[in-house]
Amino acid sequence: MRASVTPSIYPSLYDKIIINNMQPSCPVNLADMLRACVVGWKRDGEWPPKSQYTNVAAPPMPVPKPMSAAEIAARRQQKIALQKQMQQQKEARERAAREANEVRERAREVARQQREEREQKAREQREAKEERERLERQERMAEKAEKQRRKSDATAPPAGRRSSIVALVGGVVNHLTRVPTAEDRGDRERSGSQSDENNGGGKGGGIRRSLQKVFSLGHGGGHGHQQANGNPIA
C-alpha cells in the first residue's frame, strides 16, 4: 500500500489529512507527506512563504562624523577621569578591607588577652586554694601531734619518780654485774667478820648488807638526778 503513494495522489492526501484532518488508512512516509504539503500549499497560493519584512524599508546606517581635536581631548580626559575614579574606588575597597582585618585582629588580640587574664586569675585562685589546704593540713597535723604529746605526757609517770626508778635499776644492775676486786673482797671479809660478831654472823646478815647497799645506791642515784633537775628531795 505504501508503494501506491505516488505524486498523483498528493493533492487528495493533502486534502484528507491536512484540510479535513482525517486519519490515514496506513502509515505514510514523512517524505511523501512533505511533498503532499508542498503541492497543496502551491495550489492554495501559500508557497513559497512570504516574509513579513518584504515591504519594510531598512533604516539607514548612521555615518559617524569625524571628531575634532577638542572632542578627542575631552573624550580622553573623560576616560582618564573614569579610570582614576575606578582606581580610587578600588583603593577605597582595599583600605576598607584592611581596616576590617585590623579590627578583627584587634578583637582577636583583646579576646586572647582576656582569656589569658582569666586563666592567670584561675591559676592564682587554684594556687591560693592549694596553699590554704596545705596550711590547714599542717595545722591539723600540728594539732594532732600536740594532742598526742599531751596524751603521752598525761599517761607518763613524773620525771622525778621516773629518774629515781631508772637510777635504782641502774645501781642494782651495776652492783650485780660489777666484778669484785681484791680490796672489795678484803672490805667484805672485814665487814662480814664485824657483822658476825655484832649480829651473831650467818648468811642472813650478808643478804641484808647487800640489800642495804643496793637501796643506798638507788637513793643516792635518784637524789643526784633530782638535784641535777633542780628538784631536791625534801
Side-chain angles (χ1 to χ4, degrees):
M1 181 172 286
R2 291 180 182 178
S4 62
V5 178
T6 58
S8 60
I9 65 172
Y10 284 168
S12 61
L13 189 63
Y14 175 79
D15 292 337
K16 289 179 180 179
I17 296 176
I18 302 301
I19 301 301
N20 298 323
N21 197 14
M22 295 174 63
Q23 184 74 22
S25 58
C26 67
V28 180
N29 196 347
L30 182 58
D32 293 333
M33 194 65 225
L34 289 176
R35 294 188 188 96
C37 289
V38 171
V39 169
W41 289 336
K42 286 181 179 180
R43 187 193 64 188
D44 296 340
E46 296 180 358
W47 186 266
K50 298 177 181 179
S51 176
Q52 59 180 348
Y53 301 105
T54 303
N55 298 325
V56 177
M61 295 295 294
V63 178
K65 63 179 182 177
M67 293 186 298
S68 62
E71 292 176 350
I72 294 172
R75 185 68 61 85
R76 187 178 293 114
Q77 291 293 331
Q78 290 177 358
K79 186 177 180 179
I80 293 171
L82 182 60
Q83 291 177 354
K84 185 177 180 180
Q85 183 179 2
M86 292 176 64
Q87 183 68 23
Q88 290 176 355
Q89 291 176 356
K90 182 180 179 180
E91 292 176 357
R93 288 193 298 269
E94 292 177 353
R95 186 169 56 254
R98 285 195 302 270
E99 291 176 355
N101 290 331
E102 291 176 358
V103 170
R104 285 194 295 270
E105 289 294 333
R106 286 196 296 270
R108 282 196 291 267
E109 183 66 20
V110 170
R112 185 182 62 81
Q113 291 178 357
Q114 292 177 353
R115 185 174 61 255
E116 290 179 355
E117 290 177 357
R118 289 194 299 270
E119 291 176 355
Q120 180 68 20
K121 186 176 181 180
R123 186 164 53 252
E124 291 176 356
Q125 291 178 355
R126 186 169 58 253
E127 291 176 355
K129 183 178 178 181
E130 292 176 356
E131 183 67 19
R132 288 195 302 271
E133 291 177 354
R134 186 179 64 81
L135 293 176
E136 290 176 357
R137 285 195 300 270
Q138 290 180 355
E139 291 178 357
R140 287 195 297 269
M141 292 175 64
E143 291 177 358
K144 186 176 180 180
E146 182 67 19
K147 289 180 180 179
Q148 290 178 356
R149 188 183 63 78
R150 291 178 181 177
K151 185 176 180 181
S152 62
D153 291 343
T155 56
R161 183 180 177 185
R162 184 169 60 250
S163 60
S164 300
I165 294 173
V166 171
L168 178 61
V169 173
V172 172
V173 172
N174 291 329
H175 179 71
L176 295 177
T177 58
R178 185 170 63 85
V179 178
T181 61
E183 185 179 357
D184 293 335
R185 285 195 295 271
D187 294 338
R188 187 179 299 173
E189 290 176 356
R190 287 193 298 272
S191 63
S193 60
Q194 291 176 1
S195 294
D196 291 339
E197 292 176 357
N198 295 329
N199 298 325
K203 190 175 181 180
I207 294 174
R208 283 194 298 272
R209 285 193 303 273
S210 299
L211 290 175
Q212 288 175 359
K213 192 171 184 180
V214 168
F215 282 114
S216 65
L217 289 173
H219 287 295
H223 181 69
H225 187 74
Q226 288 182 355
Q227 287 181 353
N229 290 332
N231 297 319
I233 297 175

